[in-house]
Amino acid sequence: MSLNTPIFLKEREEDNSKFVEIQQSQTTSIAAEYPLQNLCLASQEVLQKAQQNGRSKCLKCGGSRMFYCYTCYVPVENVPIEQIPRVKLPLKIDIIKHPNETDGKSTAIHAKLLAPEFVNIYTYPCIPEYEEKDHEVALVFPGPNSVSIKEISFHLQEKIQNNVGGKNDDLDKPFIKRKKTEEQDLNDSKCKDTTLKKIVFIDSTWNQTNKIFTDERLQGLLQVELKTRKTCFWRHQKGKPDTFLSTIEAIYYFLVDYHTDILKEKYKGQYDNLLFFYSFMHQLVKNAKCPGDKETRKLTH
């Protein structure tokens, strides 16, 4: 009997291993089908009621909209602003919107609605001046020169050292000593990952992004790419990889990774409410794919 025990245990371990693999496969499959199911969101009852009641008036411009006014960046009359969550972000966000981007289809507005104190939207060719602040600003955009979020600190520190070094060439010795002290302070601050102050996103169809991306005012910025995230956007552009995210997805996933990889803190859903509108619309579209369901029409602004 004792001779067969090792064989029995080995078979049991193999069965357990197969069971775990099946469970993991099922979990992955479920996560892929329902990517937004485990978010820590505020109650969406206000959106459910608004969706049932139909379009409502914008209190600023008087336009008829669903959920929010994409022109004024405010909720509509039947969506009380106090029932919309406010999200506190660890840095500022600038969104550069292509002039041909359809306002009613843009998810960038979600960020402005949910984190108004931290988000600004500019319509191209209007772009803020970043030249003197390129050591504390980064641009999220894929490309051969882009770096991962984990590499941001290293590359921004290089910019700081280059900027400080360039300014010290013609200074006298006592002032150089002071500058060295200041440089050390900056490096210490960098080691604490506090240098990045602002992140820039481009809001446009992927076919239209080149005009904004190649603008000389953005050329000096560190370029960051989100390589491990996949979109669940219902308007995904044909022919583009599933790693090409909608604007609000890019903002959300950047902040989640920034929180864990740069701030070195455990993520507990702090930014999940950035997907407050997005997740609700995603569910409506998903439900609308069922035969006989016409809710998608109500999503049209």
Side-chain angles (χ1 to χ4, degrees):
M1 187 71 179
S2 61
L3 294 176
N4 294 329
T5 300
I7 298 176
F8 171 76
L9 291 175
K10 184 177 180 181
E11 291 177 346
R12 188 173 181 180
E13 288 176 357
E14 290 177 351
D15 290 341
N16 288 339
S17 178
K18 289 179 180 179
F19 177 73
V20 170
E21 288 178 2
I22 292 173
Q23 279 193 320
Q24 289 176 340
S25 177
Q26 290 175 340
T27 301
T28 302
S29 177
I30 292 172
E33 187 176 358
Y34 305 104
L36 307 176
Q37 67 174 349
N38 294 319
L39 297 173
C40 298
L41 296 172
S43 172
Q44 294 175 320
E45 183 179 358
V46 64
L47 299 183
Q48 293 168 358
K49 291 180 178 179
Q51 188 263 335
Q52 292 169 0
N53 293 332
R55 289 167 174 260
S56 184
K57 184 176 67 174
C58 171
L59 295 176
K60 282 193 173 183
C61 70
S64 177
R65 305 284 188 262
M66 178 66 79
F67 304 130
Y68 54 82
C69 179
Y70 47 75
T71 305
C72 303
Y73 307 147
V74 294
V76 292
E77 189 174 20
N78 66 356
V79 180
I81 194 169
E82 61 270 14
Q83 294 185 37
I84 301 300
R86 286 291 184 95
V87 185
K88 184 178 181 180
L89 306 183
L91 38 69
K92 300 287 187 178
I93 291 176
D94 281 353
I95 300 173
I96 314 299
K97 190 173 79 71
H98 194 283
N100 294 335
E101 179 72 3
T102 304
D103 291 340
K105 294 182 178 180
S106 171
T107 62
I109 286 85
H110 299 180
K112 181 63 177 176
L113 284 162
L114 298 163
E117 298 175 3
F118 299 90
V119 177
N120 286 306
I121 299 178
Y122 302 90
T123 300
Y124 188 82
C126 181
I127 295 180
E129 183 58 61
Y130 299 122
E131 186 175 358
E132 297 298 323
K133 299 180 180 179
D134 63 352
H135 60 283
E136 57 185 34
V137 181
L139 170 68
V140 174
F141 197 83
N145 298 321
S146 63
V147 303
S148 69
I149 290 178
K150 291 182 179 180
E151 298 173 303
I152 288 177
S153 295
F154 172 78
H155 288 281
L156 287 185
Q157 187 173 11
E158 277 192 333
K159 283 181 174 292
I160 293 174
Q161 292 173 339
N162 291 338
N163 290 344
V164 172
K167 293 175 182 178
N168 282 342
D169 292 341
D170 300 321
L171 299 175
D172 57 26
K173 190 171 182 179
F175 191 64
I176 289 177
K177 289 182 178 179
R178 291 203 304 273
K179 291 297 288 183
K180 284 183 178 179
T181 301
E182 292 171 4
E183 181 181 3
Q184 184 61 49
D185 290 340
L186 286 172
N187 287 338
D188 290 343
S189 176
K190 187 61 194 173
C191 291
K192 295 177 182 178
D193 300 312
T194 57
T195 300
L196 185 63
K197 301 291 179 61
K198 182 176 289 186
I199 191 76
V200 181
F201 294 86
I202 297 175
D203 184 45
S204 168
T205 61
W206 285 100
N207 293 330
Q208 296 176 331
T209 55
N210 191 60
K211 183 176 182 179
I212 299 177
F213 172 66
T214 56
D215 190 288
E216 62 180 4
R217 290 168 291 180
L218 298 179
Q219 294 309 296
L221 299 183
L222 178 67
Q223 193 175 328
V224 181
E225 183 173 2
L226 305 173
K227 299 179 180 180
T228 61
R229 304 294 190 173
K230 295 183 178 182
T231 186
C232 62
F233 193 32
W234 52 92
R235 294 193 181 101
H236 181 64
Q237 296 170 46
K238 187 176 180 180
K240 301 300 181 183
D242 57 7
T243 53
F244 280 24
L245 308 173
S246 67
T247 303
I248 194 63
E249 286 177 314
I251 292 172
Y252 170 72
Y253 287 128
F254 174 86
L255 290 171
V256 171
D257 291 345
Y258 178 84
H259 194 86
T260 56
D261 295 340
I262 301 298
L263 299 183
K264 304 297 183 183
E265 296 179 11
K266 184 177 180 179
Y267 184 68
K268 299 179 180 179
Q270 290 92 330
Y271 317 122
D272 283 9
N273 273 322
L274 285 174
L275 299 179
F276 180 75
F277 292 104
Y278 184 82
S279 62
F280 184 79
M281 293 178 176
H282 179 272
Q283 188 61 45
L284 281 183
V285 172
K286 183 175 177 296
N287 292 343
K289 292 180 180 179
C290 298
D293 196 330
K294 300 179 181 179
E295 294 297 330
T296 308
R297 296 178 184 176
K298 294 185 178 181
L299 284 177
T300 304
H301 294 279

